Amino acid sequence: MKIRTLALAACAAAAMTAIALPAAAQGSGKIKVGLMLPYTGTFAALGTAIENGFRLYITEQGGKLGGREIEFVKVDDESNPAKATDNVNKLVKRDNVDVLVGTVHSGVAMAMAKVAKDTGTLLIVPNAGADAVTGAMCAPNIFRSSFTNWQPGYAMGEVMAKKGHKNAVTITWKYAAGDESVGGFKEAFQKAGGKVVKELSLPFPNVEFQALLTEIAALKPDAVYTFFAGGGAVKFVKDYAAAGLKKSIPLYGAGFLTDGTLEAQGADAEGLLTTLHYGDSLGTPRDNAFRLAYAKTYKLQPDVYAVQGYDAAQMLAAGLSAAKGDVTKKAEFTDGIRKARIDSPRGAFMLSKSHNPVQDIYLRQVGAKENKVIGVASKALADPARGCRM
Ligand code: BEZ
């Protein structure tokens, strides 16, 4: 009798294994996260900081989010829009990831958003500011933990007008992030009576700035507004100073100009004013704890990219805990993120209806190799989400 019972139990177990559902459908097993970030090129350091921040939050939660272990599949997107659709399709169709997390470059992020929208795959954008991602392309399954390109640009337009600058030249890379950052700046600066006398640009990721700097010197504007980031930002700030312009024409920018770059920029960045949703001297208990944990884990100081990666993991956790660990419960998952108050090192925030952070944009000034927060340029700034129908 006893032997027969055991045999029946063994048969039942074998049958259960045979009809086992995929891990995601069961709400057990590992969650597969497709990390699509740049690990080479001018944005390589930004990709690494995002991954570091993402992993730090998971470690702090004991290695699990919503009761599930996390497994990674990684792709180096090289900040190359031409390879973006193939790269994201590999993650979605070949690797069957449960969630996509990426990326840094706006052009690459728009390709990710298109695939996410077409396939219904969950996407959390941990940097790229492409306005369309939470504008015309917005969708219930697409979220952002960072900013729109419009947000820091708009805040700086107001700051520069208040400083009394009447005209400005803009200079940036010619792609969505540069165009939209300048667009946000122009909107606020012109509304306040300022005039943009010339919009200069060069293709991404070129760093041959000399001819454009000569043009700025000839134009003699009251001030310059710029969007550059990563390795390109380091070179631009150094070249601007080397051309002798720093002393004569004040340089302002979206905060990416001096974030994660100060060691390399050295004295050439001292005193620069920028606007961003994070800074090095917030001094809140939440930010202090984050900075300490990050420095201990990675032997590096965190920057805005690390914060955005950390908060992307917090958003994933909010979705997973609302869906009780089951990513196939998409309505519960997305509702969990939409209603979450993200306890970010930058200051707590919630998402707008179009799934972009509504957040304070700080005015920062570089001093002693830190982006010191000297004020709030724009309180609880929400992107206008133009074209979003949701
Ligand atoms: C972007 O392409 O959206 C971007 C890249 C680096 C820093 C900020 C924005």
Side-chain angles (χ1 to χ4, degrees):
M1 182 67 177
K2 218 172 173 188
I3 290 172
R4 199 165 160 257
T5 310
L6 278 174
L8 282 174
C11 283
M16 275 176 71
T17 312
I19 57 161
L21 291 165
Q26 289 179 359
S28 63
K30 291 185 181 174
I31 294 284
K32 225 186 219 191
V33 172
L35 263 191
M36 186 159 146
L37 291 167
Y39 295 101
T40 51
T42 196
F43 291 158
L46 287 58
T48 301
I50 289 169
E51 180 175 347
N52 286 349
F54 196 88
R55 286 184 186 272
L56 177 62
Y57 184 74
I58 296 169
T59 305
E60 287 177 355
Q61 305 311 303
K64 290 186 178 178
L65 302 182
R68 308 279 298 271
E69 277 177 47
I70 308 293
E71 171 186 358
F72 292 98
V73 187
K74 286 171 53 169
V75 168
D76 175 6
D77 66 38
E78 305 165 45
S79 294
N80 186 346
K83 296 185 182 171
T85 302
D86 280 353
N87 278 332
V88 68
N89 272 326
K90 272 186 219 149
L91 289 172
V92 172
K93 296 185 179 150
R94 182 194 66 190
D95 301 321
N96 266 310
V97 299
D98 296 307
V99 185
L100 285 166
V101 175
T103 184
V104 168
H105 183 286
S106 275
V108 178
M110 283 192 279
M112 293 184 79
K114 166 124 189 28
V115 172
K117 204 169 165 146
D118 291 350
T119 59
T121 311
L122 295 160
L123 167 64
I124 304 176
V125 178
N127 181 69
D131 292 350
V133 166
T134 52
M137 301 177 85
C138 74
N141 56 318
I142 298 177
F143 299 88
R144 178 150 49 197
S145 67
S146 51
F147 60 94
T148 62
N149 293 318
W150 179 91
Q151 282 176 308
Y154 187 86
M156 186 47 101
E158 291 186 329
V159 168
M160 284 172 62
K162 274 190 204 131
K163 285 201 169 292
H165 298 308
K166 299 282 179 251
N167 65 71
V169 166
T170 63
I171 177 164
T172 188
W173 280 311
K174 186 84 206 133
Y175 82 110
D179 291 345
E180 293 168 358
S181 181
V182 166
F185 163 73
K186 265 172 65 180
E187 192 179 323
F189 191 59
Q190 290 174 343
K191 206 193 283 176
K195 190 161 182 244
V196 173
V197 288
K198 186 100 193 202
E199 294 179 43
L200 301 171
S201 63
L202 71 172
F204 174 87
N206 286 10
V207 290
E208 297 312 319
F209 301 120
Q210 211 47 56
L212 299 174
L213 293 174
T214 305
E215 210 173 331
I216 291 173
L219 287 162
K220 294 192 178 58
D222 286 355
V224 169
Y225 173 78
T226 189
F227 166 89
F228 289 110
V234 171
K235 176 130 191 320
F236 182 76
V237 164
K238 294 194 85 60
D239 286 4
Y240 197 85
L245 291 173
K246 191 172 173 218
K247 284 180 253 122
S248 51
I249 305 171
L251 175 67
Y252 299 86
F256 314 104
L257 186 67
T258 57
D259 230 80
T261 55
L262 291 176
E263 273 307 317
Q265 288 165 334
D268 293 337
E270 285 288 298
L272 292 183
L273 287 168
T274 62
T275 41
L276 204 61
H277 48 287
Y278 188 60
D280 294 321
S281 62
L282 287 171
T284 58
R286 181 69 180 99
D287 189 43
N288 290 346
F290 164 75
R291 293 183 77 86
L292 190 64
Y294 192 93
K296 265 193 184 162
T297 309
Y298 302 110
K299 314 286 174 261
L300 283 171
Q301 288 306 314
D303 54 20
V304 70
Y305 310 105
V307 170
Q308 294 167 171
Y310 188 82
D311 293 343
Q314 295 209 60
M315 285 163 58
L316 177 58
L320 281 173
S321 73
K324 307 219 166 17
D326 185 349
V327 272
T328 63
K329 293 193 174 141
K330 291 213 167 140
E332 285 91 332
F333 184 98
T334 55
D335 236 39
I337 303 186
R338 283 198 305 107
K339 292 183 181 150
R341 179 181 177 273
I342 304 299
D343 187 17
S344 172
R346 77 187 84 170
F349 70 83
M350 292 189 71
L351 297 179
S352 65
K353 264 170 66 185
S354 64
H355 299 175
N356 188 67
V358 177
Q359 55 196 340
D360 292 350
I361 306 293
Y362 303 107
L363 178 61
R364 307 115 42 92
Q365 182 157 39
V366 178
K369 296 207 179 148
E370 279 203 334
N371 285 293
K372 293 189 195 303
V373 174
I374 58 169
V376 176
S378 204
K379 186 101 196 116
L381 186 64
D383 180 82
R386 292 174 180 127
C388 174
R389 309 257 171 278
M390 197 164 48

